[in-house]
């Protein structure tokens, strides 16, 4: 009971004085933490301090921290900070330079060697291994193990503990590299234009070209023109032709020696161009930047160009014909087709050309002129009313047909072949209209299909109406993937989405794609041209949409000896008109009044193709050469609702001498 009473008396006391008690403790703890040791020494003892000692508060104030010991800054903190940063950066740079020099010296002296190890039991070489292998092959000891290099005398040798020497294995580079900086699928004209453009912008580029044919890139136009006019068989076998001016050239853009070995491409310090011929790409993964060959190899890339070109069309009647008919039928497109047809023609008495377009008409004229000396009988069969009936106006198409017939060709117009049989060693072609022709061999020149097999196997977009790979204005189908040449369906800023199958387009689109692969990012605004020669005397150039179904306005004039394909080649020294047309320049308007000819002697002239809005969408220059820049300018401006006879004066086709002669004849007839 007494203890309970005592606790009852203490509880109110503790409760009332608790806050003051803890405040005192915390204040003393703070003073103790901030009071010098001398204060505690003076305060020791059981009695209070002497009277002459200083109070504790005064001692605390005198020992309070201050900044009198800190240095006084002489400049702003930014300047001081920058000064220290410069000093540290110089120290860092000096250290990096010293490290680089030391590393370079150690590398050059052989103290450090850079090799990759596929496993730690076998030592494999890179470039050094290729050199050692070449030396071993020269000495005839390529099959012997190079364990003598492990004795310490040879470069790259390694010494194993004891007397055991490590066996050195020479690394043989694969024939097909696993990676390409620039990969070009296709080895035609577009690929040629692309790798020239890449090399001009990136001199150390490493370019791998993959082509299905067993040849270097070559030009196709001479295969249906000049090669057939060369009478030197040795030159023809080497695929050398004579231009209309007599200059000898080869169809190949570059010789085989120009290209590097594919397996050494990635080891070339200054880059190069390697050609992998006879290989076909069957699949592409645009997301992972990889392609697969038909033989199973996989090649990754940084940038890729697809230039697969096209494949010749055939007719159902030829596809379903017997093996004997197929054996003597040529779908004309490449070098092997030329050689095969040349061999067939030399051993034949007659040949039939099915098709009346550019290729069919050019081959008909070439073989017809050749037949004048050999006695070969040449037939040309097509469903149109005249040669190049889908391109030329009807009157000009019929005039061209007479020109082809003059070359010794029997032209069968408005005839469609629907049957092909092999009877008594001859191919018998029968038409729906009732005509029958017996020949020794057949050439099918009925058009071209874009090669889009890779698009179907690789989930790339195809244009439904025009065919070909669907690309943007920069010829890009996917990121880091471009398409050029015959297989590209691009957007023409003037004429809408198009696909063009001509030499000039392949050159220009390939060149632009190559520039864009190196970062140029240029849109395709070029209006490509095309040309065709019916021998050395008649030829034309065209640009834009040239379709005989469109309304046309033509202006013709009398031609002279200078208005022929032969004359323009003699003047310029170049047979490819896509190269010579760049030299032309706009001329001043002629003061002479132009007039269309009433006769059918279409010597030279200009044909304008108009759309339903009366705007010029295509121009054909008949026996008028080196005027393509003017045509390109007229097409760009549109020339809508203008007097086209006045526009034709820009081309300066009317010769004042010829006009004077015509005026004299007209005056004589009227009198």
């Amino acid at each position: 009971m007494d203890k309970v009473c005592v606790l009852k008396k203490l509880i109110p006391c503790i409760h009332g004085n608790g806050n003051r008690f803890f405040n005192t403790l915390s204040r003393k703890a703070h003073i103790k933490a901030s009071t010098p040791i001398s204060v505690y020494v003076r305060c020791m003892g059981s009695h209070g301090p002497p009277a002459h000692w200083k109070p504790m508060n005064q001692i605390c104030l005198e020992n309070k921290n201050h900044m009198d010991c800190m240095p006084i800054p002489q400049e702003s903190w930014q300047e001081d900070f920058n000064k220290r940063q410069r000093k540290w950066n110089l120290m860092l740079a000096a250290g990096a330079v010293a490290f680089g020099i030391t590393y370079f010296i150690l590398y050059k002296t052989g103290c450090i060697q850079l090799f990759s190890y596929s496993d730690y039991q076998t030592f494999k070489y890179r470039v050094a291994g290729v050199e050692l292998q070449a030396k071993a092959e020269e000495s005839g000891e390529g099959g012997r193990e190079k364990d003598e290099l492990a004795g310490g005398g040879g470069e790259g040798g390694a010494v194993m503990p004891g007397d055991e020497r490590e066996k050195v294995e020479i690394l043989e580079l694969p024939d097909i590299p696993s990676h390409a900086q620039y990969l070009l699928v296709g080895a035609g004209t577009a690929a040629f234009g692309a790798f020239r453009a890449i090399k001009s912008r990136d001199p150390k580029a490493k370019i791998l070209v993959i082509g299905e044919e067993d040849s270097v890139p070559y030009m196709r136009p001479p295969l249906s023109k000049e090669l057939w006019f060369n009478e030197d068989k040795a030159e023809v076998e080497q695929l050398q032709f004579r231009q209309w001016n007599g200059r000898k050239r080869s169809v190949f853009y570059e010789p085989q020696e120009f290209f590097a070995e594919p397996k050494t491409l990635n080891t070339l310090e200054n880059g190069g161009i390697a050609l992998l011929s006879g290989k076909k790409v069957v699949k592409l993964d645009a997301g992972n930047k990889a392609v697969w060959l038909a033989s199973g190899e996989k090649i990754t890339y940084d940038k890729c160009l697809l230039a697969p070109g096209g494949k010749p069309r055939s007719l159902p009647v030829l596809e379903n014909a017997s093996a004997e008919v197929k054996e003597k039928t040529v779908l004309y497109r490449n070098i092997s087709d030329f050689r095969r047809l040349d061999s067939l023609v030399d051993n034949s008495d007659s040949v039939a050309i099915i098709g009346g377009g550019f290729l069919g008409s050019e081959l008909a004229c070439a073989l017809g002129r050749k037949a004048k000396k050999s006695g070969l009988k040449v037939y040309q069969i097509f469903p149109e009313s005249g040669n190049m009936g889908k391109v030329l106006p009807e009157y000009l198409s019929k005039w061209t047909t007479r020109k082809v017939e003059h070359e010794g060709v029997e032209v069968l117009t408005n005839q469609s072949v629907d049957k092909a049989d092999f009877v008594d060693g001859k191919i018998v072609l029968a038409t729906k209209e009732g005509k029958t022709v017996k020949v020794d061999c057949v050439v099918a020149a009925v058009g071209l299909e874009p090669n889009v097999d890779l698009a179907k196997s690789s989930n790339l977009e195809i244009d439904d109406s025009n065919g070909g790979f669907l690309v943007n204005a920069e010829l890009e189908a996917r990121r880091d993937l471009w398409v050029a040449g015959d297989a590209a369906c691009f957007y023409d800023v003037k004429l809408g989405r198009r696909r063009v199958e001509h030499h000039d387009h392949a050159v220009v689109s390939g060149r632009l794609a190559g520039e864009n692969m190196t970062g140029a990012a240029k849109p395709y605004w070029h209006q490509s041209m095309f040309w065709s020669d019916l021998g050395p005397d008649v030829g034309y150039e065209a640009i834009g949409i040239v379709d005989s179904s469109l309304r046309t306005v033509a202006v013709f004039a009398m031609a002279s000896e200078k208005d022929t394909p032969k004359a323009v080649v003699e003047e310029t020294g170049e047979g490819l008109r896509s190269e010579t047309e760049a030299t032309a320049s706009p001329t001043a308007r002629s003061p002479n009044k132009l007039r269309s000819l009433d006769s059918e002697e279409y010597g030279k002239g200009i044909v304008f193709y108009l759309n339903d809005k009366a705007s010029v969408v295509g121009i054909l220059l008949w026996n008028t050469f080196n005027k393509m820049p003017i045509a390109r300018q007229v097409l760009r401006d549109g020339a809508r609702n203008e007097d086209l006879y006045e526009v034709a004066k820009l081309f300066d086709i009317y010769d004042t001498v010829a006009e004077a002669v015509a005026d004299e004849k007209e005056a004589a007839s009227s009198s």
Side-chain angles (χ1 to χ4, degrees):
M1 292 296 294
D2 295 338
K3 294 181 179 180
V4 176
C5 293
V6 172
L7 287 174
K8 287 182 178 181
K9 293 180 180 180
L10 289 175
I11 287 174
C13 180
I14 294 174
H15 178 72
N17 299 325
N19 293 335
R20 185 169 22 175
F21 172 74
F22 286 108
N23 290 337
T24 303
L25 288 178
S26 62
R27 184 170 63 254
K28 288 184 178 181
H30 174 70
I31 295 174
K32 181 177 180 181
S34 60
T35 303
I37 298 177
S38 59
V39 176
Y40 298 109
V41 175
R42 294 184 180 184
C43 294
M44 291 176 63
S46 59
H47 303 286
H52 62 278
W53 282 20
K54 296 179 180 180
M56 186 178 293
N57 292 338
Q58 184 177 354
I59 293 174
C60 292
L61 292 174
E62 291 178 356
N63 288 276
K64 186 177 180 181
N65 293 332
H66 55 79
M67 299 182 63
D68 294 341
C69 61
M70 300 294 292
I72 300 176
Q74 301 297 323
E75 53 192 4
S76 65
W77 69 270
Q78 294 96 333
E79 295 176 352
D80 181 66
F81 176 79
N82 292 336
K83 184 184 295 182
R84 280 180 290 170
Q85 288 295 323
R86 284 194 294 269
K87 180 180 69 175
W88 294 337
N89 290 339
L90 288 175
M91 293 173 62
L92 179 61
V97 171
F99 175 78
I101 294 174
T102 304
Y103 185 85
F104 180 77
I105 293 174
L106 293 175
Y107 176 73
K108 286 296 183 181
T109 55
C111 297
I112 296 178
Q113 294 184 1
L114 300 178
F115 294 108
S116 63
Y117 297 87
S118 59
D119 58 70
Y120 290 95
Q121 303 297 327
T122 305
F123 191 91
K124 292 188 177 182
Y125 288 92
R126 287 184 177 177
V127 180
V130 177
E131 296 174 354
L132 290 173
Q133 185 182 17
K135 293 179 181 179
E137 291 175 355
E138 292 177 0
S139 61
E141 300 177 354
R144 190 177 64 184
E145 295 177 348
K146 307 299 185 298
D147 56 347
E148 65 272 10
L149 295 178
E155 181 182 356
V159 180
M160 295 295 292
D163 294 334
E164 295 183 2
R165 295 179 177 178
E166 181 183 19
K167 293 182 179 180
V168 180
E169 179 184 349
I170 303 300
L171 174 63
E172 294 185 2
L173 296 173
D175 294 332
I176 300 177
S178 60
H179 181 79
Q181 181 185 9
Y182 295 97
L183 180 64
L184 309 184
V185 179
T189 298
F192 168 73
F195 69 63
R196 289 188 64 180
I198 293 172
K199 266 297 186 180
S200 65
R201 292 176 56 89
D202 186 2
K204 293 189 177 183
K206 298 175 182 178
I207 307 170
L208 179 62
V209 184
I210 303 177
E212 294 186 31
E213 298 184 53
D214 292 324
S215 66
V216 297
Y218 61 91
M219 60 185 80
R220 298 186 188 275
L223 298 182
S224 58
K225 302 180 181 71
E226 295 92 340
L227 267 175
W228 293 101
F229 291 85
N230 193 347
E231 297 179 358
D232 190 332
K233 276 295 182 182
E235 292 181 356
V236 173
E237 290 178 0
Q238 297 176 3
L239 297 176
Q240 294 178 342
F241 64 94
R242 301 274 179 173
Q243 295 186 156
W244 301 134
N245 62 349
R247 177 190 171 192
K248 185 171 70 174
R249 292 188 61 180
S250 172
V251 299
F252 300 110
Y253 290 113
E254 299 289 352
Q256 183 68 52
E257 295 76 18
F258 173 82
F259 298 94
E261 286 290 333
K263 64 181 180 180
T264 62
L265 176 64
N266 291 326
T267 66
L268 301 177
E269 182 179 355
N270 293 322
I273 304 170
L275 176 63
L276 194 61
S277 58
K279 297 292 183 180
K280 182 178 181 180
V281 176
V282 295
K283 187 178 180 181
L284 182 144
D285 187 348
N288 295 317
K289 296 184 179 182
V291 300
W292 285 265
L293 304 182
S295 52
E297 293 85 356
K298 175 183 177 182
I299 303 175
T300 59
Y301 62 84
D302 294 335
K303 304 291 179 64
C304 180
L305 170 67
L306 300 181
K311 49 189 176 182
R313 288 193 180 99
S314 184
L315 296 174
V317 63
L318 297 177
E319 291 178 348
N320 301 325
S322 63
E324 293 84 1
V325 173
K326 292 181 179 179
E327 185 179 354
K328 293 190 176 183
T329 300
V330 180
L331 302 180
Y332 202 82
R333 173 64 175 168
N334 52 36
I335 286 177
S336 61
D337 298 332
F338 166 78
R339 286 175 169 159
R340 184 182 173 201
L341 180 60
D342 187 38
S343 177
L344 287 174
V345 168
D346 287 342
N347 299 286
S348 301
D349 296 327
S350 58
V351 58
I353 302 170
I354 303 177
F358 304 109
L359 181 60
S361 300
E362 290 172 358
L363 283 174
C365 287
L367 294 178
R369 179 163 295 197
K370 184 176 182 179
K372 290 181 178 180
K373 297 181 179 180
S374 62
L376 179 71
K377 181 63 177 178
V378 181
Y379 298 92
Q380 187 182 11
I381 308 171
F382 50 83
E384 293 81 25
S385 60
N387 285 78
M388 292 174 286
K390 294 182 179 180
V391 175
L392 302 179
E394 185 177 0
Y395 61 90
L396 197 55
S397 174
K398 291 182 177 180
W399 184 91
T400 305
T401 301
R402 291 194 293 272
K403 172 65 179 176
V404 175
E405 290 175 337
H406 181 71
E407 295 293 337
V409 180
E410 183 175 342
V411 182
L412 303 178
T413 62
N414 300 309
Q415 302 289 324
S416 300
V417 178
D418 67 344
K419 191 175 182 181
D421 297 323
F422 193 77
V423 180
D424 298 332
K426 296 280 188 178
I427 298 177
V428 180
L429 299 177
T431 67
K432 294 179 180 179
E433 293 73 20
K435 292 283 185 177
T436 301
V437 174
K438 294 182 179 181
V439 293
D440 293 315
C441 58
V442 175
V443 183
V446 292
L448 190 73
E449 292 182 358
N451 192 352
V452 294
D453 294 340
L454 195 56
K456 297 176 181 178
S457 64
S458 306
N459 296 322
L460 299 176
E461 293 180 278
I462 301 175
D463 187 85
D464 295 331
S465 58
N466 298 297
F469 294 80
L470 192 64
V471 298
N472 61 15
E474 297 176 7
L475 304 181
E476 195 172 20
R478 297 280 292 274
R479 182 179 295 275
D480 295 331
L481 178 64
W482 289 262
V483 185
D486 300 339
C489 183
F490 63 98
Y491 179 74
D492 190 319
V493 295
K494 185 65 180 178
L495 304 175
R497 189 160 291 279
R498 302 175 62 202
R499 190 178 63 83
V500 181
E501 300 174 355
H502 298 291
H503 177 83
D504 180 59
H505 169 69
V507 173
V508 178
S509 64
R511 182 168 62 237
L512 180 71
E515 292 177 353
N516 287 344
M517 292 173 76
T518 59
K522 295 180 180 179
Y524 187 65
W525 287 351
H526 178 75
Q527 288 293 341
S528 61
M529 56 89 71
F530 61 93
W531 79 94
S532 179
D533 292 340
L534 302 179
D537 301 325
V538 177
Y540 64 88
E541 301 174 358
I543 188 173
I545 300 176
V546 182
D547 191 336
S548 60
S549 63
L550 298 174
R551 185 167 67 91
T552 61
V553 175
V555 178
F556 289 96
M558 295 179 64
S560 64
E561 294 180 354
K562 295 182 179 180
D563 301 316
T564 62
K566 181 179 180 180
V568 71
V569 175
E570 290 176 345
E571 180 181 356
T572 62
E574 176 60 58
L576 297 177
R577 222 106 73 235
S578 58
E579 302 294 332
T580 62
E581 61 98 1
T583 62
S585 58
T587 58
R589 290 178 179 267
S590 171
N592 303 311
K593 182 179 179 181
L594 300 177
R595 63 173 181 266
S596 59
L597 297 181
D598 295 331
S599 66
E600 293 187 355
E601 293 297 329
Y602 303 111
K604 62 179 179 179
I606 311 296
V607 181
F608 299 99
Y609 292 76
L610 311 179
N611 61 10
D612 54 356
K613 298 181 181 179
S615 295
V616 176
V617 295
I619 301 175
L620 184 139
L621 310 181
W622 184 262
N623 270 347
T624 302
F625 308 103
N626 287 344
K627 303 292 184 180
M628 190 52 63
I630 305 174
R632 191 170 283 115
Q633 179 181 349
V634 173
L635 186 64
R636 183 170 57 249
D637 296 340
R640 182 177 180 182
N641 296 323
E642 294 188 21
D643 186 353
L644 295 179
Y645 287 92
E646 292 296 321
V647 175
K649 291 181 179 180
L650 293 173
F651 297 89
D652 196 22
I653 65 170
Y654 206 74
D655 189 4
T656 55
V657 176
E659 180 186 14
V661 173
D663 290 341
E664 290 179 1
K665 291 182 178 180
E666 184 178 356
S669 61
S670 61
S671 61

